[in-house]
Amino acid sequence: MHWNQINFNNFIFTIYNCERSEFNKYIMANKPDNKRKKYRAPRGTSDYLPKRAAQLHYLDSQAAEIFERYGYRRIITPTFEDTDLFSRSIGESSDIVRKEMYTFNDKAGRSLTLRPEATAPVVRAYIEHKLHSEIKPVKLYYIGSMFRYERPQAGRYREFWQLGVEALGSPKPLIDAEVIVLLVDYLKSLALNDLVLHIGSMGDDKCRLPYTKKLRQELEPKAEAMCPDCQQRLKLNPLRVFDCKNKVCRAIIAEAPKITDNLCDECANHLVQVEKGIIGAGIKYQLDPTLVRGFDYYTRTTFEVRSPLLGAQSALGGGGRYDNLIAEYGGPATPAIGFALGMERVLLALEAEQVKLDIEISPDLFVAVVDNTDRPEAFRILTDLRRYGLAAEMDYMARSLRSQMKLADKLGSEFVIILGPDELKSGRVAIKNMATGAERKVSLDQIADSIKNLKSEPKGE
Ligand SMILES: [Zn+2]
Ligand SMILES: [Zn+2]
């Protein structure tokens, strides 16, 4: 024990020393450059400056409102998980697991991965906390950033934001319809109109295997003409050939048998019932026999919403049913369905449709001062107004009164008060409407009430 400890300490000591000298060497070597070095956000990531952050927040709060209206409750899971949680659910053969995961060892040697998607973490939490003993279906939603090591391009980032829902516990087609209708209703609530909903089915254990066999038999003789990726797919997971964008492959695949023509009776009936639900909700869709989702865990219903305006990265979001995943993780057999939506894609679609989000943040009131010496008193009043619930602002740069008025205008403040010696002495101040120039005199302790009243008045002319 003692020996171990010494050794252990020696080890630490050595590492520490080495790190320190390496660090010093680095600093010395880089000293002249240090001032010039420009730090940038890592490739494929971006800063959400206030304007864009406000847009993202708008998508987030709108989602929370609508998802909760549909009975979904928020769940927050860790940003990283054990690596095999993902390799197991997403599938070893998928591009995500093979090439795109941010995997690292922590200091204790555990293999961890920044989440590339959130369904597996939600399912893990569902099992870990025995949520199956709660009222079913258990309806959850999440909002968070995900990580994939992909080639960055418009609408594709290495850290990107997703929101999504999972409904766990019901095998019935109407819950599929609910999840799909929720996705479409949410996008429509953002004033997006140019949307195409694709619906498909992946079949189940009973019918997918025979179909996969049939597909492989059909395509193998033509494999040489197909791209290397597809040749690989034919070996590992033939269904994935439907993801191929290669022209030659697409022509060959177009002739191949479709899963929707090869479903067992139960799966075919399930699909019909889902369609009925969607039609009942007044939503148009396209039945898409080639809609095969990228993850191994999907069964039966698959769906995707695309914006034709976005070109190659047209999918805004999608999902499907995953009836086997929870049992595969050692949980009780639990049918489930969910979707995930790419928030950056949604922002791109809003831009493409020229939808302006009404999220400008501007103060209700700007407190201007005549004399510098009145600033502490102005600050006191400002703080009172804020505590009362008004968005209020003042100048902290010792600007002249004229510049303060310009600033109030620039900030888009609706009202302004000017505090001068007269106002402070009489205890009365004029509230000026910046748009109309109209003024109203009130006592200092009634500013907040007056502004609340003025704001609720119908806007003239
Ligand atoms: Zn191909
Ligand atoms: Zn089936």
Side-chain angles (χ1 to χ4, degrees), residues 360-368 393-395 399 401-417 432-437:
E360 287 298 311
I361 300 166
S362 48
D364 302 314
L365 174 72
F366 189 92
V367 179
E393 192 55 280
M394 70 178 277
D395 164 54
R399 288 178 175 87
L401 182 58
R402 205 180 132 90
S403 301
Q404 289 176 61
M405 296 306 278
K406 272 192 197 157
L407 176 62
D409 191 44
K410 238 185 202 166
L411 293 175
S413 187
E414 212 176 334
F415 301 97
V416 175
I417 57 171
K432 184 179 178 182
N433 183 318
M434 291 292 277
T436 64

Side-chain angles (χ1 to χ4, degrees), residues 204 206-207 264 267:
D204 61 0
K206 200 167 145 196
C207 53
C264 67
C267 287

Side-chain angles (χ1 to χ4, degrees), residues 43-44 95-96 99-102 147-153 155-158 160 313 345:
R43 184 167 148 79
D95 280 355
I96 295 180
K99 304 182 240 171
E100 296 167 4
M101 293 208 306
Y102 276 93
F147 306 84
R148 291 184 199 171
Y149 191 79
E150 293 188 283
R151 199 167 59 80
Q153 51 184 291
R156 181 175 277 180
Y157 313 97
R158 290 183 174 176
F160 56 98
Q313 306 295 327
R345 297 268 177 94

Side-chain angles (χ1 to χ4, degrees), residues 203-208 262-268 300:
D204 61 0
D205 293 343
K206 200 167 145 196
C207 53
R208 194 193 308 181
N262 289 274
L263 296 172
C264 67
D265 288 350
E266 290 86 350
C267 287
R300 290 195 170 162

Side-chain angles (χ1 to χ4, degrees), residues 4 21 42 58 70 79 99 104 141 146 166 171 174 219 227 235 271 291 341 350 356 384 387 405 410 417 433 447 452:
N4 265 340
S21 65
Y58 174 75
Y70 273 74
T79 308
K99 304 182 240 171
F104 59 96
Y141 76 90
M146 312 290 154
E166 312 291 349
L174 266 189
L219 291 179
C227 74
K235 283 185 198 129
L271 182 57
L291 184 61
L341 190 71
L350 286 166
K356 277 236 152 61
D384 274 352
R387 287 180 177 154
M405 296 306 278
K410 238 185 202 166
I417 57 171
N433 183 318
I447 299 171
K452 281 191 175 169

